[in-house]
Amino acid sequence: MRIRRKTASIPPGSIIFDLDGTIIDSGPVYQKLAAARGYTVQGPDANYNRLREQIPGDILAELDRAYMGDGTKNALPVPDALDVVRDFSTNVYIVTARGTEFERPGRSWVQRHLPVFPQDHIISSPSTAAKGRFLADLELALVVDDQIAPLKIIPESTKRLLFDPDGAFPDEGVAGLQVVRSWADIRKILESTYKPKL
């Protein structure tokens, strides 16, 4: 589903998870795609926020298209992500900046790995900036994303978690964002607010 104000209704107090780099472990796919183009990125440098600093924009756009197309198909889930999404699925929406062209591979991945996750809880936006603006207008409990840009747009009244499993950023946070290293960390934060679905 693309963002349309009338159809993309997310209730107040919802939990938002990003898809690529947060639920889907896109890092290894990007590393392989980058290596095929002569760029070696490992560890913290493979974090998407830092990848932009190392790879020219036109090459990164090629990597994005390759990953979001066929590259998504064989990508693995981030450890523990699927369990947390399943346990809290009543309150969870997945909001991804895939756009129309790459929406289908993302949805297919979710259907394969989370077959009972409600399809109307998956929302695609045309860009990362559009995703941030869309989420900024909602009254949300918590947003987890691996990219800084959309999180910075969201009001501080929403708990904003920067997912950084590679340790690219300091634990004390970035520009008011709380850094989390694992889905176990995310679960602890959620359990302090929500009870898992039984």
Side-chain angles (χ1 to χ4, degrees):
M1 170 189 300
R2 287 179 300 172
I3 292 177
R4 294 185 190 100
R5 294 288 176 195
K6 292 182 180 176
T7 58
S9 60
I10 297 178
S14 294
I15 300 163
I16 305 297
F17 293 143
D18 172 52
L19 183 60
D20 301 294
T22 304
I23 296 173
I24 300 177
D25 192 1
S26 57
V29 179
Y30 273 99
Q31 286 175 327
K32 286 179 187 173
L33 292 169
R37 287 164 178 79
Y39 294 90
T40 302
V41 289
Q42 297 176 345
D45 289 336
N47 179 288
Y48 196 85
N49 296 285
R50 290 177 60 175
L51 206 58
R52 281 186 240 171
E53 300 165 1
Q54 303 170 65
I55 296 178
D58 58 333
I59 302 295
L60 187 55
E62 284 179 31
L63 300 183
D64 287 341
R65 285 191 297 277
Y67 163 71
M68 291 205 184
D70 289 339
T72 304
K73 194 181 304 179
N74 298 318
L76 298 173
V78 173
D80 301 321
L82 300 180
D83 291 335
V84 175
V85 174
R86 273 191 292 266
D87 289 349
F88 292 89
S89 64
T90 303
N91 301 83
V92 167
Y93 285 77
I94 295 172
V95 181
T96 179
R98 279 187 159 255
T100 308
E101 185 181 357
F102 300 113
E103 181 178 359
R104 187 172 301 232
R107 275 188 183 276
S108 296
W109 190 96
V110 173
Q111 286 175 335
R112 190 167 66 253
H113 293 276
L114 292 162
V116 297
F117 190 81
Q119 287 296 299
D120 62 341
H121 282 217
I122 304 170
I123 299 169
S124 293
S125 73
S127 68
T128 301
K131 173 178 143 180
R133 288 189 301 271
F134 170 67
L135 295 176
D137 289 340
L138 303 173
E139 295 176 30
L140 303 168
L142 182 137
V143 177
V144 182
D145 203 314
D146 70 316
Q147 292 196 49
I148 295 170
L151 291 172
K152 287 173 76 173
I153 299 170
I154 297 166
E156 291 181 21
S157 57
T158 298
K159 191 162 198 62
R160 299 166 299 154
L161 305 181
L162 175 62
F163 183 64
D164 178 26
D166 301 314
F169 298 97
D171 286 330
E172 61 269 14
V174 177
L177 307 177
Q178 182 177 346
V179 176
V180 290
R181 303 281 183 218
S182 69
W183 276 87
D185 294 340
I186 295 168
R187 179 182 287 281
K188 285 178 192 170
I189 292 165
L190 286 170
E191 285 175 346
S192 70
T193 309
Y194 290 98
K195 291 189 189 296
K197 177 183 79 113
L198 301 176

